[in-house]
Amino acid sequence: MTAKADQSPNEGSQFFRKLFKNKLALIGLVFVLLMICMALFAPLLAQYDPNEMNIQQALLSPGTKGHLLGTDSYGRDLLSRIIYGSRISLIVGIGAVLVGGAIGIFLGLVAGYFGGFIDSLIMRFMDALSAFPFILLAITLMTVLDTGLMNVIVAIGVGNIPGFARMVRGQVLSVKEEEYIEVTKSLGAKQWRIIFQHILPNCLTPIIVYATMNVAGAIISEAALSFLGLGIQPPTASWGNILKEGKDFLVVSPHIAVLSGLAILFSVLGLNLFGDGLRDALDPKTKL
Amino acid sequence: MLRYILRRILDLIPTLLFVAIIVFLVTRMIPGDPARVMLGPQASVTEINNLREKLGLNDSMGAQFIAFIRDLLHFDLGDSATYNRPVIDLIMERFPNTIVLTVFSLCISLIIGIFSGMISAVKKGTAWDYFFTIFSLVGVSMPVFWLGIMLVLFFSVNLGWFPATGIGSMDAGIVDYVRHLILPGVTLATIPMANFSRITRSSMLDVMGENYIKTARAKGVSGTLVVCKHALKNAMTPILTTIGMQISSMLGGAVLTETIFSWPGMGRLIVDAINKRDFVVVQGTVIFLAVLFVLINLIIDILYKVVNPKVSYVRGEK
């Protein structure tokens, strides 16, 4: 039983009341839900196959009959490609946070709980990982890993590890001093059981907020890698490679670059607003 | 103070060693023969063997690592196969351009970010506050590479005010140089600017609720003096700590910004090296930037200690 982790129904309703009172968080939630719906129902929402080429219809402007957002240089429907691109962004965003989160949380728990030499070793390694600018680390890893969805997830996920580890370590340091942890220890509970059943659940709140924010960062990183030609490879539609192509046709068809970038901007903005709202709603100091 | 600095410097040794290990291992993870990949499919067996010998790839991993560390300690980052020049020379040639771009962007972001954050805090709840809050929220969510393209579209293609690419020459005058610097500078400054604005606003709001500010106001000190001399001064500590993090993200952002604007800096060097599969240059530039970042953080930590002498050194807590 994790005494502290359990929230009373009153606390739960207070959380939702705080969250729904925050207008910016609600706007963020709407953007996030739109993105999730786009990704889930892409085959139903998209009018065309995102990779279907029609050279006769290349570079049509937005508003052309049959192509609401126009077409790209291969005559592919831009709206359909943006809809399908949301799948890549979401998969990479969530996947990278899961990879980075799983490893980072584990390392943070171990470092914080055991302390001493293990803590120093892990945290110095985390310092070294953080010494690489995030996108530079992902670029370097992509150079050696080669392109592909899984590799993009791993490359971006690695950059997420130190942040999770530091944050969880900080939480563990305060939670492990709590009285109920001392009691559990004195009752003879095994160390791993204490870590995963008692300490981890009490670190979940900041982890959720941090993870939400990091999905936004991972989406931008994926788009950046694809923009540099190191991420998702054409013809698969990703917002980053649509933007890369749009850059080459900036003068004749600026809509390709403008619209694919707006898709990235709104989804990242939505996640950031919602993440801010979650943090405020979960913070007991925030007034209702 | 000296003890603090010494301990911080000593603490860097394991971090830098880990940085070297990470770069060494990552560049050894290249699938296949790196020499073959670097020289391309047309390369002869003799050429490949010569490059393998030159890169020390025929030695054991342990021997390669020792040689790698020894070379690093002598500031030898290897020779580029594509440029036929030492990597350190290439870096020294490009690094000043990245510094100019980063410092210019940092100045823009600090001036506008702190100013907008101050206005937001002082005029809390007004239209100004909402405007700057939305501006900073959009700013932190902005993909820099997209912003760069949009600035080119608007200010270069449509208005023709600024050049879209390249670096100006000082021979053509300072105006030409600055004109080339404006668009990449603003692009790179956007995210840090938004972050500085958010931090200034929140830390000033915290400080302005303090008793000494109320006392100063009650004593009749003018509003501007209270804000600039007392509130802003005390809100500077969190801003200072953020600068270190922002410089790191700016060095990363420079990779993308320099690519968009064909700015001949470190970022451009890395992307070109990746495209040419010149792993020695990738390895050298990445380790150079990582060490630079560690040193910048050390300076920020020391400055933080100078501003805030009560800060104590706790190992592992950064």
Side-chain angles (χ1 to χ4, degrees):
Chain A
M1 184 67 196
T2 54
K4 275 198 74 179
D6 289 340
Q7 282 193 329
S8 69
N10 192 27
E11 279 175 335
S13 67
Q14 205 179 33
F15 161 76
F16 284 110
R17 278 202 343 250
K18 273 186 191 172
L19 186 65
F20 290 125
K21 245 188 126 180
N22 186 338
K23 286 195 188 77
L24 285 176
L26 283 182
I27 294 171
L29 183 62
V30 169
F31 288 161
V32 174
L33 289 177
L34 269 175
M35 186 195 178
I36 294 172
C37 288
M38 254 165 68
L40 286 178
F41 304 113
L44 298 174
L45 294 170
Q47 216 181 334
Y48 299 89
D49 177 335
N51 299 332
E52 188 187 309
M53 293 191 220
N54 185 351
I55 299 294
Q56 270 98 36
Q57 302 237 300
L59 301 174
L60 293 178
S61 305
T64 310
K65 203 178 170 198
H67 297 284
L68 188 63
L69 299 185
T71 57
D72 67 6
S73 60
Y74 294 99
R76 295 173 295 197
D77 182 57
L78 192 61
L79 178 61
S80 304
R81 286 184 70 73
I82 288 178
I83 290 172
Y84 272 90
S86 66
R87 286 187 157 187
I88 296 288
S89 292
L90 209 61
I91 291 171
V92 173
I94 295 172
V97 168
L98 285 177
V99 169
I103 303 171
I105 291 168
F106 178 77
L107 292 175
L109 285 169
V110 171
Y113 186 79
F114 293 105
F117 176 70
I118 295 176
D119 180 27
S120 284
L121 189 73
I122 291 176
M123 293 326 287
R124 289 297 80 75
F125 185 63
M126 293 300 110
D127 287 347
L129 261 187
S130 330
F132 302 93
F134 194 88
I135 191 70
L136 195 61
L137 185 64
I139 288 173
T140 313
L141 287 171
M142 282 313 294
T143 316
V144 295
L145 288 174
D146 215 359
T147 52
L149 186 64
M150 267 316 287
N151 288 342
V152 173
I153 292 174
V154 171
I156 299 171
V158 170
N160 279 309
I161 296 173
F164 274 103
R166 283 217 184 92
M167 191 258 300
V168 171
R169 175 183 175 273
Q171 289 291 313
V172 174
L173 288 179
S174 64
V175 172
K176 79 172 185 181
E177 300 302 326
E178 300 271 350
E179 213 170 297
Y180 68 95
I181 298 290
E182 293 298 324
V183 173
T184 320
K185 267 187 201 168
S186 61
L187 288 172
K190 287 201 173 108
Q191 281 178 328
W192 292 111
R193 192 185 149 98
I194 296 173
I195 292 173
F196 287 105
Q197 280 201 359
H198 300 280
I199 293 181
L200 178 60
N202 285 304
C203 302
L204 280 181
T205 305
I207 289 175
I208 292 167
V209 176
Y210 190 73
T212 313
M213 305 281 207
N214 275 24
V215 172
I219 288 176
I220 289 199
S221 300
E222 181 280 316
L225 286 178
S226 299
F227 178 74
L228 291 172
L230 295 166
I232 306 299
Q233 297 301 302
T236 307
S238 101
W239 292 343
N241 64 32
I242 300 173
L243 181 55
K244 181 178 192 277
E245 200 207 325
K247 185 183 171 247
D248 300 333
F249 295 93
L250 200 58
V251 179
V252 282
S253 294
H255 69 277
I256 305 171
V258 172
L259 296 169
S260 53
L262 282 176
I264 305 170
L265 174 64
F266 280 113
S267 55
V268 172
L269 182 64
L271 282 159
N272 281 339
L273 290 176
F274 184 59
D276 275 350
L278 267 185
R279 186 192 53 210
D280 291 346
L282 289 165
D283 184 357
K285 282 180 268 175
T286 309
K287 285 180 192 146
L288 197 65
Chain B
M1 185 63 169
L2 194 67
R3 220 175 128 209
Y4 173 85
I5 295 172
L6 272 175
R7 290 189 71 175
R8 281 293 287 114
I9 291 171
L10 280 178
D11 204 30
L12 286 188
I13 296 169
T15 306
L16 290 173
L17 188 65
F18 272 128
V19 166
I21 292 172
I22 292 169
V23 173
F24 177 80
L25 289 178
V26 166
T27 44
R28 264 67 186 175
M29 274 163 53
I30 297 163
D33 183 352
R36 186 179 288 275
V37 177
M38 282 167 78
L39 291 172
Q42 268 96 39
S44 67
V45 179
T46 322
E47 282 173 317
I48 293 168
N49 281 339
N50 285 345
L51 186 61
R52 282 188 66 82
E53 197 59 46
K54 196 177 163 195
L55 296 175
L57 295 172
N58 293 328
D59 301 335
S60 69
M61 282 290 260
Q64 283 185 48
F65 184 68
I66 291 168
F68 177 67
I69 295 290
R70 189 193 55 219
D71 291 345
L72 278 183
L73 292 173
H74 289 94
F75 301 103
D76 180 0
L77 298 174
D79 293 328
S80 159
T82 45
Y83 296 92
N84 276 321
R85 290 176 62 195
V87 175
I88 193 76
D89 288 358
L90 292 170
I91 291 176
M92 286 305 138
E93 202 175 275
R94 311 289 187 100
F95 186 54
N97 295 334
T98 299
I99 286 287
V100 168
L101 180 61
T102 311
V103 171
F104 180 71
S105 302
L106 189 65
C107 291
I108 298 178
S109 58
L110 275 171
I111 294 167
I112 302 179
I114 292 177
F115 181 73
S116 61
M118 246 169 72
I119 302 278
S120 259
V122 174
K123 309 237 178 231
K124 195 188 167 212
T126 63
W128 283 109
D129 183 23
Y130 291 125
F131 172 76
F132 285 123
T133 304
I134 291 169
F135 157 82
S136 58
L137 277 169
V138 173
V140 288
S141 309
M142 190 78 77
V144 282
F145 43 99
W146 180 68
L147 177 68
I149 293 171
M150 292 302 103
L151 291 178
V152 167
L153 180 64
F154 193 70
F155 291 104
S156 298
V157 178
N158 290 340
L159 297 174
W161 287 1
F162 301 106
T165 54
I167 185 168
S169 163
M170 274 298 192
D171 299 338
I174 185 83
V175 176
D176 181 63
Y177 192 79
V178 174
R179 278 184 74 232
H180 280 86
L181 192 56
I182 296 278
L183 293 187
V186 170
T187 304
L188 192 56
T190 306
I191 294 178
M193 193 193 303
N195 281 322
F196 288 134
S197 179
R198 275 158 73 108
I199 284 155
T200 308
R201 181 183 183 274
S202 65
S203 47
M204 278 203 50
L205 283 177
D206 284 347
V207 172
M208 283 170 77
E210 298 281 337
N211 283 338
Y212 69 93
I213 298 287
K214 289 176 189 162
T215 312
R217 280 188 194 279
K219 279 183 170 177
V221 180
S222 81
T224 318
L225 199 66
V226 169
V227 171
C228 295
K229 198 178 166 192
H230 299 287
L232 185 62
K233 192 180 159 195
N234 287 292
M236 277 313 281
T237 319
I239 296 169
L240 192 61
T241 37
T242 318
I243 291 177
M245 282 188 283
Q246 294 309 313
I247 290 177
S248 164
S249 77
M250 287 172 92
L251 287 174
V255 176
L256 296 158
T257 311
E258 288 176 5
T259 307
I260 294 162
F261 293 97
S262 300
W263 187 265
M266 296 282 287
R268 196 65 210 291
L269 180 65
I270 294 175
V271 174
D272 285 348
I274 288 169
N275 290 331
K276 289 171 183 162
R277 316 298 279 172
D278 193 340
F279 300 113
V280 182
V281 175
V282 176
Q283 175 183 280
T285 40
V286 167
I287 204 157
F288 181 85
L289 286 176
V291 172
L292 177 74
F293 171 64
V294 171
L295 295 178
I296 289 170
N297 265 339
L298 171 75
I299 296 167
I300 296 280
D301 277 0
I302 294 169
L303 280 178
Y304 187 56
K305 173 85 177 166
V306 172
V307 174
N308 214 345
K310 281 183 211 155
V311 172
S312 62
Y313 177 87
V314 182
R315 197 178 162 84
E317 296 263 339
K318 286 194 173 182

